[in-house]
Amino acid sequence: MPKRAYTVDIPTELSTSVVFASPHSGRDYPDWFLGQTILTAKALRSSEDAYVDRLFDVASELGAPFLRGAAPRAFVDYNRSAEELDPALIAGIIGSGKNPRVASGLGVIPRVVAGGRPIYHGKLQLKEAQRRIETYWRPYHDKLQTLLNTTREHFGEAILIDCHSMPHEALDSVRAPDGQRPNIVLGDRFGAACRADITDHVEAAFIDAGFSVSRNSPFAGAYIAQHYGRPSRNQHALQIEIDRSLYMDEPSITPHRDFQEMRRRLQEVVGNIVAMGQTPQQLAAE
């Protein structure tokens, strides 16, 4: 089994209402899992948000907690509900309603990786799916809610920045408001998961750092944004998707020569976002 469900960097002094998380950067593939799958280790890694944890690791130095998923996405997906079980993969599950994520093989226990490539020869037993959920999925979400609760107790609000990456090709038909092809997509569930001034601030932080930004297209936010985004309770969730081609070679899943420059630029963005959470935003908005 993967050694742990998550790792978390806690700042020496909690100084902001912002919590950062990277649910899909885990890369701990146990040997038995590699032996069970019909894919190569490299093919499995195509589902990762590879190196996103390294891109945002300055967060804790600046006063914000940073939670990282440790189990890989191909093993269990933290950005899905525990109820999103795929009957085409898990024995004993009947029907999946009209959930398009499950139907496409991307439930909480994924059936496929990027490109629709199957992970397994056949089905998994329900008890195996439940074991992964109880051992990995649930501890990750328990820790995330604890971090948000602690932050909200200190600052009166909590702002979750949920960090992801996307294939370059996902943006082929998308244009940002400035007419450019975006390299950052912010997902706030069309305003349902995050107060507008927070999304505005984060967008401005990326634009100031030289990025082109679009909102909610092609990614508006999945389970984490939907579940944790509760603006009426002063708990906000904003998903960030970064074009992978900015920092890595996608076919080989390795950082390229611009990786360190990308880290530097994102450190500027993270600092700007952290500073936002050091003022009583919820009072300013009232």
Side-chain angles (χ1 to χ4, degrees), residues 22-98:
S22 175
H24 288 159
S25 55
R27 46 189 173 269
D28 183 4
Y29 295 87
D31 289 340
W32 71 265
F33 177 62
L34 294 175
Q36 185 183 49
T37 177
I38 61 177
L39 297 174
T40 65
K42 183 178 176 182
L44 286 172
R45 293 198 65 200
S46 66
S47 284
E48 285 180 25
D49 289 340
Y51 311 109
V52 167
D53 54 340
R54 289 172 55 187
L55 292 174
F56 287 89
D57 60 6
V58 73
S60 63
E61 298 175 24
L62 298 177
F66 184 29
L67 178 66
R68 322 173 194 211
R73 184 184 186 183
F75 184 79
V76 61
D77 193 338
Y78 296 129
N79 201 19
R80 298 290 182 264
S81 164
E83 308 303 317
E84 291 183 89
L85 295 168
D86 185 351
L89 174 65
I90 300 166
I93 299 297
I94 301 174
S96 60
K98 298 180 180 179

Side-chain angles (χ1 to χ4, degrees), residues 94-116:
I94 301 174
S96 60
K98 298 180 180 179
N99 188 312
R101 295 190 292 255
V102 174
S104 64
L106 298 173
V108 64
I109 309 297
R111 171 166 42 92
V112 301
V113 296

Side-chain angles (χ1 to χ4, degrees), residues 120-164:
Y120 306 96
H121 285 289
K123 288 194 173 188
L124 299 180
Q125 295 301 309
L126 178 58
K127 65 181 180 181
E128 169 61 20
Q130 292 171 332
R131 178 171 66 134
R132 296 186 195 185
I133 290 168
E134 293 302 320
T135 307
Y136 300 96
W137 186 96
R138 205 164 302 284
Y140 178 89
H141 284 279
D142 287 347
K143 186 62 177 181
L144 179 53
Q145 189 61 71
T146 296
L147 292 171
L148 294 171
N149 290 345
T150 299
T151 301
R152 192 166 52 181
E153 289 169 5
H154 276 77
F155 297 96
E157 72 175 359
I159 302 168
L160 171 61
I161 302 297
D162 197 46
C163 306
H164 298 259

Side-chain angles (χ1 to χ4, degrees), residues 6-286:
Y6 62 83
T7 61
V8 60
D9 298 335
I10 301 295
T12 303
E13 180 181 358
L14 183 65
S15 64
T16 180
S17 62
V18 181
V19 173
F20 288 83
S22 175
H24 288 159
S25 55
R27 46 189 173 269
D28 183 4
Y29 295 87
D31 289 340
W32 71 265
F33 177 62
L34 294 175
Q36 185 183 49
T37 177
I38 61 177
L39 297 174
T40 65
K42 183 178 176 182
L44 286 172
R45 293 198 65 200
S46 66
S47 284
E48 285 180 25
D49 289 340
Y51 311 109
V52 167
D53 54 340
R54 289 172 55 187
L55 292 174
F56 287 89
D57 60 6
V58 73
S60 63
E61 298 175 24
L62 298 177
F66 184 29
L67 178 66
R68 322 173 194 211
R73 184 184 186 183
F75 184 79
V76 61
D77 193 338
Y78 296 129
N79 201 19
R80 298 290 182 264
S81 164
E83 308 303 317
E84 291 183 89
L85 295 168
D86 185 351
L89 174 65
I90 300 166
I93 299 297
I94 301 174
S96 60
K98 298 180 180 179
N99 188 312
R101 295 190 292 255
V102 174
S104 64
L106 298 173
V108 64
I109 309 297
R111 171 166 42 92
V112 301
V113 296
R117 291 167 290 176
I119 298 173
Y120 306 96
H121 285 289
K123 288 194 173 188
L124 299 180
Q125 295 301 309
L126 178 58
K127 65 181 180 181
E128 169 61 20
Q130 292 171 332
R131 178 171 66 134
R132 296 186 195 185
I133 290 168
E134 293 302 320
T135 307
Y136 300 96
W137 186 96
R138 205 164 302 284
Y140 178 89
H141 284 279
D142 287 347
K143 186 62 177 181
L144 179 53
Q145 189 61 71
T146 296
L147 292 171
L148 294 171
N149 290 345
T150 299
T151 301
R152 192 166 52 181
E153 289 169 5
H154 276 77
F155 297 96
E157 72 175 359
I159 302 168
L160 171 61
I161 302 297
D162 197 46
C163 306
H164 298 259
S165 67
M166 56 190 170
H168 181 71
E169 64 185 17
L171 302 167
D172 283 347
S173 62
V174 182
R175 289 295 176 268
D178 60 6
Q180 298 184 55
R181 177 194 182 102
N183 40 44
I184 303 292
V185 177
L186 303 181
D188 63 3
R189 306 285 300 180
F190 299 93
C194 188
R195 202 173 60 233
D197 64 298
I198 295 173
T199 305
D200 290 346
H201 186 107
V202 174
E203 180 177 33
F206 276 104
I207 291 173
D208 288 348
F211 296 97
S212 180
V213 183
S214 72
R215 293 193 191 186
N216 295 307
S217 179
F219 305 107
Y223 171 76
I224 288 174
Q226 183 176 17
H227 179 75
Y228 291 98
R230 295 289 184 267
S232 63
R233 304 178 192 173
N234 289 326
Q235 179 173 289
H236 308 272
L238 181 63
Q239 178 177 284
I240 294 175
E241 295 275 2
I242 300 173
D243 183 346
R244 292 172 185 163
S245 69
L246 294 176
Y247 67 88
M248 78 173 190
D249 177 70
E250 293 185 74
S252 64
I253 319 179
T254 55
H256 59 46
R257 62 183 182 182
D258 294 329
F259 183 81
Q260 291 303 329
E261 173 61 16
M262 183 65 176
R263 283 189 76 217
R264 185 200 65 75
R265 293 173 69 191
L266 285 175
Q267 286 174 2
E268 177 184 336
V269 175
V270 170
N272 196 326
I273 294 172
V274 165
M276 169 187 66
Q278 293 170 337
T279 57
Q281 294 288 318
Q282 76 277 15
L283 296 180
E286 290 177 354

